[in-house]
Amino acid sequence: MELGEKAFHKQPTVFVGRKKPLGRRHGRGLRFVRNVGLGFKTPAAAIEGTYVDQKDPFVGGVSIRGRILKGVVVSTKQNRTVVVRRNYLAFVKKYKRYEKRHTNISAHCSPCFRVNEGDIVVLGECRPLAKTVSFNVLKIEKSTEEKQSKGFRAF
């Protein structure tokens, strides 16, 4: 848990008031973890971690449906939210040429991922989590070597 969170957080599907431990799992408590499907593996940090995040597709109650997108992380300044830049080409009919365009997408980033600026991430669409957030980070592909964050580059 982070320092700003002072309330007691628990997963709603796990009962924490049990007197006797279940089975041989004395050291670790129970944890609700699920597979999001679509060929994405659940990260080890989500299985072994102790964080609680209701907006996380791996340990929370959010399902991934709809679009699967890929982009470059531009900003990680928000709490558990990243801004992802997607570059694309738009055809201009008058000149019969393409112009470069981009769009920024805000996405929820689970605490099981360590995301830096310049990383290439895979996003999955989910229900609206906030005013501008409707995507979740599902996988980190790789980080790019150059540190230009605004450049138009293919991933």
Side-chain angles (χ1 to χ4, degrees), residues 91-109:
F91 186 71
V92 180
K93 198 168 153 184
K94 178 180 178 181
Y95 300 111
K96 297 178 184 172
R97 283 168 172 74
Y98 290 92
E99 66 180 2
K100 295 177 182 176
R101 291 187 184 177
H102 81 276
T103 183
N104 287 337
I105 299 172
S106 297
H108 181 76
C109 184

Side-chain angles (χ1 to χ4, degrees), residues 130-144:
K131 179 182 175 183
T132 59
V133 180
S134 292
F135 287 88
N136 252 305
V137 174
L138 296 178
K139 184 168 70 168
I140 302 174
E141 298 244 323
K142 62 179 177 178
S143 67
T144 56

Side-chain angles (χ1 to χ4, degrees), residues 1 5-11 14 16-17 52:
M1 280 193 250
E5 301 174 357
K6 294 183 179 179
F8 176 70
H9 294 284
K10 70 178 195 72
Q11 291 182 312
V14 178
V16 294
V52 176

Side-chain angles (χ1 to χ4, degrees), residues 13 16 22 29 45 47-48 52 55-56 59 72 76 82-83 110 114 117 133 140 143 150:
T13 55
V16 294
L22 286 173
I47 298 170
E48 300 163 0
V52 176
K55 298 178 180 180
D56 186 1
V59 299
V72 180
T76 59
V82 294
V83 177
S110 170
R114 299 285 176 243
E117 292 183 12
V133 180
I140 302 174
S143 67
K150 292 261 184 172

Side-chain angles (χ1 to χ4, degrees), residues 55 57 62-67 108 124-129 133-136:
K55 298 178 180 180
V62 176
S63 62
I64 301 296
R65 79 286 190 283
R67 293 176 177 249
H108 181 76
E125 188 179 8
C126 59
R127 64 173 173 81
L129 303 175
V133 180
S134 292
F135 287 88
N136 252 305

Side-chain angles (χ1 to χ4, degrees), residues 109-116 119 140:
C109 184
S110 170
C112 66
F113 293 120
R114 299 285 176 243
V115 180
N116 298 318
D119 289 350
I140 302 174

